[in-house]
Amino acid sequence: MEQQLKDIKAWLGVGSVNIFGLPMSGKDTVGVRLAENLGAKFLSSGMIVRAMEKEKGINLSGQGSLIPSNTFYEWILPYFEREDLWNYPLILSSIGRWAGEEDEVMAVARSSGHTIRAAVELRLSEQDVVERWEAAKLLGDRGLRPDDANPDIFRKRIEEYRNKTLPVLKHYQELGLLVSVPANLSRDQVFAKVVEALANFSKRTHNFSPVL
């Protein structure tokens, strides 16, 4: 794995990798670990949104819906231009989850020097997600968000992914940027699969960049 990580780091440069998946698929877990191993910075749309909601005293996502695109652009896209991120690759967790947002994300990422080199899909069935949610609820696992204690809200998040985010992944696939990895494994196994898939992808694509 060490050589694979070196290969990914050399290929990525100061570009970015965007990770997607259903709720509880392990996006942030994989993203943080990947960032640590690549010397990258980690940006999570969910974390940014919740921090902004707390700061502004509003609640746009607490019922399971994605925030409006204009708010997403205002809150999240400026992060790509931050001076403290200039010289680092970025590992993104679901930046641009609503169909149509991905074009704006890719354009801003490219203009800031953090071109999106790949989009990783952590592939998990909805049934697997529900089973993980039920287990997390029973165990009080750290992976269960407070608003996810409500099954209706959790189901809404799944529905939003199905209706709004799957088209985003289809677009990345059409651009030749999608890397799909099974996520119905242990955390260590999923991470290893992601590293392997990205290393293989880097060898196939080299400096490929899609025309947007």
Side-chain angles (χ1 to χ4, degrees):
M1 184 183 292
E2 184 177 348
Q3 184 58 52
Q4 291 173 327
L5 287 165
K6 288 180 179 178
D7 291 343
I8 295 169
K9 188 171 184 177
W11 159 79
L12 185 58
V14 293
S16 53
V17 172
N18 207 354
I19 303 175
F20 293 89
L22 278 160
M24 305 195 74
S25 61
K27 298 181 295 294
D28 288 357
T29 299
V30 169
V32 168
R33 188 169 175 182
L34 193 60
E36 289 173 347
N37 279 272
L38 296 176
K41 299 295 185 179
F42 176 71
L43 294 180
S44 164
S45 61
M47 291 179 180
I48 295 171
V49 166
R50 289 190 288 276
M52 291 297 290
E53 286 178 326
K54 182 177 181 180
E55 177 184 319
K56 295 179 179 295
I58 58 178
N59 184 359
L60 298 178
S61 65
Q63 296 304 306
S65 297
L66 298 181
I67 65 172
S69 290
N70 61 329
T71 305
F72 164 79
Y73 297 144
E74 178 186 348
W75 287 0
I76 296 178
L77 293 188
Y79 275 80
F80 286 94
E81 302 285 353
R82 284 175 46 159
E83 188 174 351
D84 58 324
L85 303 180
W86 282 357
N87 298 317
Y88 293 92
L90 303 179
I91 303 300
L92 314 173
S93 177
S94 295
I95 303 292
R97 291 185 285 180
W98 198 329
E101 292 178 350
E102 69 274 15
D103 286 330
E104 191 70 20
V105 170
M106 285 188 282
V108 171
R110 174 174 287 183
S111 68
S112 66
H114 298 292
T115 299
I116 293 181
R117 306 298 307 279
V120 173
E121 175 195 18
L122 297 180
R123 198 172 64 251
L124 202 62
S125 72
E126 292 185 8
Q127 181 59 40
D128 286 334
V129 168
V130 170
E131 290 175 1
R132 285 189 180 186
W133 175 79
E134 291 174 342
K137 189 174 181 180
L138 286 173
L139 297 172
D141 184 83
R142 54 168 286 278
L144 188 61
R145 284 170 39 175
D147 55 353
D148 285 340
N150 183 324
D152 292 333
I153 293 176
F154 189 70
R155 281 194 293 268
K156 179 64 176 178
R157 291 181 64 204
I158 294 174
E159 180 183 326
E160 290 282 270
Y161 184 86
R162 183 194 311 126
N163 295 333
K164 297 177 179 177
T165 306
L166 286 182
V168 172
L169 298 182
K170 182 178 180 181
H171 190 186
Y172 278 119
Q173 184 178 39
E174 292 168 349
L175 293 171
L177 295 177
L178 188 65
V179 177
S180 186
V181 178
N184 57 337
L185 305 166
S186 71
R187 291 178 179 178
D188 285 344
Q189 289 173 319
V190 172
F191 180 71
K193 289 285 187 183
V194 169
V195 170
E196 179 183 16
L198 281 176
N200 290 337
F201 184 78
S202 71
K203 292 176 182 177
R204 293 197 308 271
T205 59
H206 299 290
N207 294 319
F208 166 76
S209 184
V211 177
L212 304 179

PDB file of all heavy atoms in Angstrom, residues 164-187:
ATOM      1  N   LYS A 164     -30.917  13.127  -6.269  1.00  0.00           N
ATOM      2  CA  LYS A 164     -30.118  14.306  -6.599  1.00  0.00           C
ATOM      3  C   LYS A 164     -28.633  14.020  -6.797  1.00  0.00           C
ATOM      4  O   LYS A 164     -27.980  14.706  -7.594  1.00  0.00           O
ATOM      5  CB  LYS A 164     -30.291  15.369  -5.508  1.00  0.00           C
ATOM      6  CG  LYS A 164     -31.714  15.886  -5.392  1.00  0.00           C
ATOM      7  CD  LYS A 164     -31.865  16.875  -4.246  1.00  0.00           C
ATOM      8  CE  LYS A 164     -33.298  17.405  -4.161  1.00  0.00           C
ATOM      9  NZ  LYS A 164     -33.475  18.323  -3.013  1.00  0.00           N
ATOM     10  N   THR A 165     -28.094  13.036  -6.070  1.00  0.00           N
ATOM     11  CA  THR A 165     -26.648  12.804  -6.130  1.00  0.00           C
ATOM     12  C   THR A 165     -26.262  11.742  -7.154  1.00  0.00           C
ATOM     13  O   THR A 165     -25.203  11.846  -7.774  1.00  0.00           O
ATOM     14  CB  THR A 165     -26.107  12.434  -4.742  1.00  0.00           C
ATOM     15  OG1 THR A 165     -26.487  13.442  -3.802  1.00  0.00           O
ATOM     16  CG2 THR A 165     -24.589  12.338  -4.762  1.00  0.00           C
ATOM     17  N   LEU A 166     -27.077  10.734  -7.349  1.00  0.00           N
ATOM     18  CA  LEU A 166     -26.735   9.721  -8.356  1.00  0.00           C
ATOM     19  C   LEU A 166     -26.533  10.331  -9.752  1.00  0.00           C
ATOM     20  O   LEU A 166     -25.626   9.905 -10.478  1.00  0.00           O
ATOM     21  CB  LEU A 166     -27.790   8.619  -8.392  1.00  0.00           C
ATOM     22  CG  LEU A 166     -27.771   7.622  -7.223  1.00  0.00           C
ATOM     23  CD1 LEU A 166     -28.852   6.555  -7.406  1.00  0.00           C
ATOM     24  CD2 LEU A 166     -26.394   6.967  -7.077  1.00  0.00           C
ATOM     25  N   PRO A 167     -27.324  11.340 -10.155  1.00  0.00           N
ATOM     26  CA  PRO A 167     -27.036  11.987 -11.436  1.00  0.00           C
ATOM     27  C   PRO A 167     -25.672  12.680 -11.467  1.00  0.00           C
ATOM     28  O   PRO A 167     -25.046  12.765 -12.529  1.00  0.00           O
ATOM     29  CB  PRO A 167     -28.179  13.003 -11.584  1.00  0.00           C
ATOM     30  CG  PRO A 167     -29.304  12.427 -10.796  1.00  0.00           C
ATOM     31  CD  PRO A 167     -28.625  11.786  -9.611  1.00  0.00           C
ATOM     32  N   VAL A 168     -25.207  13.161 -10.322  1.00  0.00           N
ATOM     33  CA  VAL A 168     -23.866  13.758 -10.237  1.00  0.00           C
ATOM     34  C   VAL A 168     -22.814  12.704 -10.557  1.00  0.00           C
ATOM     35  O   VAL A 168     -21.872  12.947 -11.333  1.00  0.00           O
ATOM     36  CB  VAL A 168     -23.619  14.354  -8.833  1.00  0.00           C
ATOM     37  CG1 VAL A 168     -22.164  14.796  -8.678  1.00  0.00           C
ATOM     38  CG2 VAL A 168     -24.561  15.515  -8.577  1.00  0.00           C
ATOM     39  N   LEU A 169     -22.972  11.522  -9.974  1.00  0.00           N
ATOM     40  CA  LEU A 169     -22.022  10.437 -10.214  1.00  0.00           C
ATOM     41  C   LEU A 169     -22.055   9.996 -11.673  1.00  0.00           C
ATOM     42  O   LEU A 169     -21.010   9.676 -12.256  1.00  0.00           O
ATOM     43  CB  LEU A 169     -22.330   9.250  -9.296  1.00  0.00           C
ATOM     44  CG  LEU A 169     -22.216   9.525  -7.797  1.00  0.00           C
ATOM     45  CD1 LEU A 169     -22.493   8.247  -7.002  1.00  0.00           C
ATOM     46  CD2 LEU A 169     -20.855  10.073  -7.439  1.00  0.00           C
ATOM     47  N   LYS A 170     -23.240  10.008 -12.260  1.00  0.00           N
ATOM     48  CA  LYS A 170     -23.352   9.654 -13.676  1.00  0.00           C
ATOM     49  C   LYS A 170     -22.566  10.633 -14.541  1.00  0.00           C
ATOM     50  O   LYS A 170     -21.885  10.250 -15.501  1.00  0.00           O
ATOM     51  CB  LYS A 170     -24.812   9.632 -14.105  1.00  0.00           C
ATOM     52  CG  LYS A 170     -25.012   9.213 -15.559  1.00  0.00           C
ATOM     53  CD  LYS A 170     -26.482   9.159 -15.933  1.00  0.00           C
ATOM     54  CE  LYS A 170     -26.647   8.745 -17.390  1.00  0.00           C
ATOM     55  NZ  LYS A 170     -28.093   8.720 -17.783  1.00  0.00           N
ATOM     56  N   HIS A 171     -22.620  11.915 -14.174  1.00  0.00           N
ATOM     57  CA  HIS A 171     -21.875  12.932 -14.920  1.00  0.00           C
ATOM     58  C   HIS A 171     -20.371  12.703 -14.789  1.00  0.00           C
ATOM     59  O   HIS A 171     -19.637  12.762 -15.780  1.00  0.00           O
ATOM     60  CB  HIS A 171     -22.245  14.321 -14.419  1.00  0.00           C
ATOM     61  CG  HIS A 171     -21.725  15.425 -15.279  1.00  0.00           C
ATOM     62  ND1 HIS A 171     -21.852  16.753 -14.940  1.00  0.00           N
ATOM     63  CD2 HIS A 171     -21.054  15.429 -16.458  1.00  0.00           C
ATOM     64  CE1 HIS A 171     -21.308  17.507 -15.873  1.00  0.00           C
ATOM     65  NE2 HIS A 171     -20.807  16.736 -16.797  1.00  0.00           N
ATOM     66  N   TYR A 172     -19.901  12.436 -13.575  1.00  0.00           N
ATOM     67  CA  TYR A 172     -18.474  12.143 -13.383  1.00  0.00           C
ATOM     68  C   TYR A 172     -18.073  10.912 -14.199  1.00  0.00           C
ATOM     69  O   TYR A 172     -16.977  10.862 -14.768  1.00  0.00           O
ATOM     70  CB  TYR A 172     -18.164  11.912 -11.910  1.00  0.00           C
ATOM     71  CG  TYR A 172     -17.967  13.180 -11.100  1.00  0.00           C
ATOM     72  CD1 TYR A 172     -18.796  13.491 -10.023  1.00  0.00           C
ATOM     73  CD2 TYR A 172     -16.930  14.069 -11.396  1.00  0.00           C
ATOM     74  CE1 TYR A 172     -18.613  14.652  -9.278  1.00  0.00           C
ATOM     75  CE2 TYR A 172     -16.740  15.215 -10.661  1.00  0.00           C
ATOM     76  CZ  TYR A 172     -17.584  15.509  -9.599  1.00  0.00           C
ATOM     77  OH  TYR A 172     -17.390  16.654  -8.865  1.00  0.00           O
ATOM     78  N   GLN A 173     -18.961   9.925 -14.246  1.00  0.00           N
ATOM     79  CA  GLN A 173     -18.671   8.720 -15.031  1.00  0.00           C
ATOM     80  C   GLN A 173     -18.548   9.058 -16.516  1.00  0.00           C
ATOM     81  O   GLN A 173     -17.635   8.577 -17.209  1.00  0.00           O
ATOM     82  CB  GLN A 173     -19.767   7.688 -14.811  1.00  0.00           C
ATOM     83  CG  GLN A 173     -19.512   6.354 -15.506  1.00  0.00           C
ATOM     84  CD  GLN A 173     -20.608   5.351 -15.200  1.00  0.00           C
ATOM     85  OE1 GLN A 173     -21.799   5.694 -15.137  1.00  0.00           O
ATOM     86  NE2 GLN A 173     -20.223   4.106 -14.974  1.00  0.00           N
ATOM     87  N   GLU A 174     -19.444   9.894 -17.014  1.00  0.00           N
ATOM     88  CA  GLU A 174     -19.400  10.301 -18.421  1.00  0.00           C
ATOM     89  C   GLU A 174     -18.120  11.057 -18.748  1.00  0.00           C
ATOM     90  O   GLU A 174     -17.621  10.999 -19.880  1.00  0.00           O
ATOM     91  CB  GLU A 174     -20.620  11.164 -18.746  1.00  0.00           C
ATOM     92  CG  GLU A 174     -21.926  10.385 -18.719  1.00  0.00           C
ATOM     93  CD  GLU A 174     -23.151  11.278 -18.757  1.00  0.00           C
ATOM     94  OE1 GLU A 174     -23.006  12.509 -18.592  1.00  0.00           O
ATOM     95  OE2 GLU A 174     -24.264  10.745 -18.953  1.00  0.00           O
ATOM     96  N   LEU A 175     -17.582  11.758 -17.760  1.00  0.00           N
ATOM     97  CA  LEU A 175     -16.337  12.501 -17.949  1.00  0.00           C
ATOM     98  C   LEU A 175     -15.095  11.626 -17.787  1.00  0.00           C
ATOM     99  O   LEU A 175     -13.975  12.094 -17.976  1.00  0.00           O
ATOM    100  CB  LEU A 175     -16.267  13.676 -16.957  1.00  0.00           C
ATOM    101  CG  LEU A 175     -17.279  14.806 -17.166  1.00  0.00           C
ATOM    102  CD1 LEU A 175     -17.236  15.775 -15.996  1.00  0.00           C
ATOM    103  CD2 LEU A 175     -17.013  15.529 -18.477  1.00  0.00           C
ATOM    104  N   GLY A 176     -15.307  10.358 -17.408  1.00  0.00           N
ATOM    105  CA  GLY A 176     -14.175   9.449 -17.214  1.00  0.00           C
ATOM    106  C   GLY A 176     -13.464   9.626 -15.895  1.00  0.00           C
ATOM    107  O   GLY A 176     -12.299   9.251 -15.749  1.00  0.00           O
ATOM    108  N   LEU A 177     -14.171  10.176 -14.903  1.00  0.00           N
ATOM    109  CA  LEU A 177     -13.532  10.485 -13.618  1.00  0.00           C
ATOM    110  C   LEU A 177     -14.015   9.604 -12.465  1.00  0.00           C
ATOM    111  O   LEU A 177     -13.487   9.715 -11.360  1.00  0.00           O
ATOM    112  CB  LEU A 177     -13.797  11.956 -13.234  1.00  0.00           C
ATOM    113  CG  LEU A 177     -13.178  13.016 -14.141  1.00  0.00           C
ATOM    114  CD1 LEU A 177     -13.602  14.414 -13.673  1.00  0.00           C
ATOM    115  CD2 LEU A 177     -11.656  12.910 -14.142  1.00  0.00           C
ATOM    116  N   LEU A 178     -14.992   8.745 -12.696  1.00  0.00           N
ATOM    117  CA  LEU A 178     -15.586   8.001 -11.585  1.00  0.00           C
ATOM    118  C   LEU A 178     -14.800   6.733 -11.264  1.00  0.00           C
ATOM    119  O   LEU A 178     -14.478   5.940 -12.148  1.00  0.00           O
ATOM    120  CB  LEU A 178     -17.033   7.630 -11.910  1.00  0.00           C
ATOM    121  CG  LEU A 178     -17.820   7.010 -10.748  1.00  0.00           C
ATOM    122  CD1 LEU A 178     -17.997   8.023  -9.612  1.00  0.00           C
ATOM    123  CD2 LEU A 178     -19.187   6.513 -11.226  1.00  0.00           C
ATOM    124  N   VAL A 179     -14.530   6.550  -9.969  1.00  0.00           N
ATOM    125  CA  VAL A 179     -13.883   5.347  -9.447  1.00  0.00           C
ATOM    126  C   VAL A 179     -14.847   4.742  -8.429  1.00  0.00           C
ATOM    127  O   VAL A 179     -15.131   5.359  -7.404  1.00  0.00           O
ATOM    128  CB  VAL A 179     -12.534   5.674  -8.768  1.00  0.00           C
ATOM    129  CG1 VAL A 179     -11.913   4.415  -8.176  1.00  0.00           C
ATOM    130  CG2 VAL A 179     -11.586   6.343  -9.751  1.00  0.00           C
ATOM    131  N   SER A 180     -15.370   3.556  -8.714  1.00  0.00           N
ATOM    132  CA  SER A 180     -16.369   2.936  -7.851  1.00  0.00           C
ATOM    133  C   SER A 180     -15.734   1.844  -7.003  1.00  0.00           C
ATOM    134  O   SER A 180     -15.015   0.975  -7.517  1.00  0.00           O
ATOM    135  CB  SER A 180     -17.500   2.354  -8.702  1.00  0.00           C
ATOM    136  OG  SER A 180     -18.539   1.873  -7.880  1.00  0.00           O
ATOM    137  N   VAL A 181     -16.003   1.900  -5.685  1.00  0.00           N
ATOM    138  CA  VAL A 181     -15.374   0.969  -4.738  1.00  0.00           C
ATOM    139  C   VAL A 181     -16.440   0.376  -3.815  1.00  0.00           C
ATOM    140  O   VAL A 181     -17.267   1.122  -3.275  1.00  0.00           O
ATOM    141  CB  VAL A 181     -14.315   1.700  -3.877  1.00  0.00           C
ATOM    142  CG1 VAL A 181     -13.699   0.754  -2.852  1.00  0.00           C
ATOM    143  CG2 VAL A 181     -13.235   2.311  -4.763  1.00  0.00           C
ATOM    144  N   PRO A 182     -16.457  -0.942  -3.612  1.00  0.00           N
ATOM    145  CA  PRO A 182     -17.428  -1.532  -2.682  1.00  0.00           C
ATOM    146  C   PRO A 182     -17.149  -1.070  -1.253  1.00  0.00           C
ATOM    147  O   PRO A 182     -16.003  -1.036  -0.811  1.00  0.00           O
ATOM    148  CB  PRO A 182     -17.200  -3.037  -2.843  1.00  0.00           C
ATOM    149  CG  PRO A 182     -15.800  -3.168  -3.358  1.00  0.00           C
ATOM    150  CD  PRO A 182     -15.572  -1.967  -4.215  1.00  0.00           C
ATOM    151  N   ALA A 183     -18.235  -0.736  -0.533  1.00  0.00           N
ATOM    152  CA  ALA A 183     -18.070  -0.222   0.827  1.00  0.00           C
ATOM    153  C   ALA A 183     -18.705  -1.126   1.878  1.00  0.00           C
ATOM    154  O   ALA A 183     -18.784  -0.752   3.045  1.00  0.00           O
ATOM    155  CB  ALA A 183     -18.666   1.187   0.925  1.00  0.00           C
ATOM    156  N   ASN A 184     -19.126  -2.330   1.473  1.00  0.00           N
ATOM    157  CA  ASN A 184     -19.758  -3.264   2.418  1.00  0.00           C
ATOM    158  C   ASN A 184     -18.712  -4.172   3.060  1.00  0.00           C
ATOM    159  O   ASN A 184     -18.894  -5.386   3.168  1.00  0.00           O
ATOM    160  CB  ASN A 184     -20.831  -4.093   1.709  1.00  0.00           C
ATOM    161  CG  ASN A 184     -20.294  -4.866   0.525  1.00  0.00           C
ATOM    162  OD1 ASN A 184     -19.260  -4.505  -0.037  1.00  0.00           O
ATOM    163  ND2 ASN A 184     -20.982  -5.931   0.147  1.00  0.00           N
ATOM    164  N   LEU A 185     -17.607  -3.558   3.473  1.00  0.00           N
ATOM    165  CA  LEU A 185     -16.478  -4.271   4.085  1.00  0.00           C
ATOM    166  C   LEU A 185     -16.072  -3.542   5.355  1.00  0.00           C
ATOM    167  O   LEU A 185     -16.670  -2.535   5.726  1.00  0.00           O
ATOM    168  CB  LEU A 185     -15.300  -4.313   3.093  1.00  0.00           C
ATOM    169  CG  LEU A 185     -15.587  -4.905   1.702  1.00  0.00           C
ATOM    170  CD1 LEU A 185     -14.448  -4.561   0.744  1.00  0.00           C
ATOM    171  CD2 LEU A 185     -15.758  -6.423   1.803  1.00  0.00           C
ATOM    172  N   SER A 186     -15.044  -4.042   6.033  1.00  0.00           N
ATOM    173  CA  SER A 186     -14.546  -3.344   7.212  1.00  0.00           C
ATOM    174  C   SER A 186     -13.907  -2.022   6.798  1.00  0.00           C
ATOM    175  O   SER A 186     -13.583  -1.807   5.622  1.00  0.00           O
ATOM    176  CB  SER A 186     -13.509  -4.202   7.946  1.00  0.00           C
ATOM    177  OG  SER A 186     -12.310  -4.262   7.182  1.00  0.00           O
ATOM    178  N   ARG A 187     -13.701  -1.127   7.739  1.00  0.00           N
ATOM    179  CA  ARG A 187     -13.114   0.183   7.429  1.00  0.00           C
ATOM    180  C   ARG A 187     -11.736   0.040   6.807  1.00  0.00           C
ATOM    181  O   ARG A 187     -11.404   0.735   5.840  1.00  0.00           O
ATOM    182  CB  ARG A 187     -13.044   1.040   8.697  1.00  0.00           C
ATOM    183  CG  ARG A 187     -14.413   1.471   9.210  1.00  0.00           C
ATOM    184  CD  ARG A 187     -14.326   2.267  10.489  1.00  0.00           C
ATOM    185  NE  ARG A 187     -15.650   2.690  10.946  1.00  0.00           N
ATOM    186  CZ  ARG A 187     -15.875   3.375  12.056  1.00  0.00           C
ATOM    187  NH1 ARG A 187     -14.851   3.717  12.823  1.00  0.00           N
ATOM    188  NH2 ARG A 187     -17.109   3.724  12.393  1.00  0.00           N
TER     189      ARG A 187
END
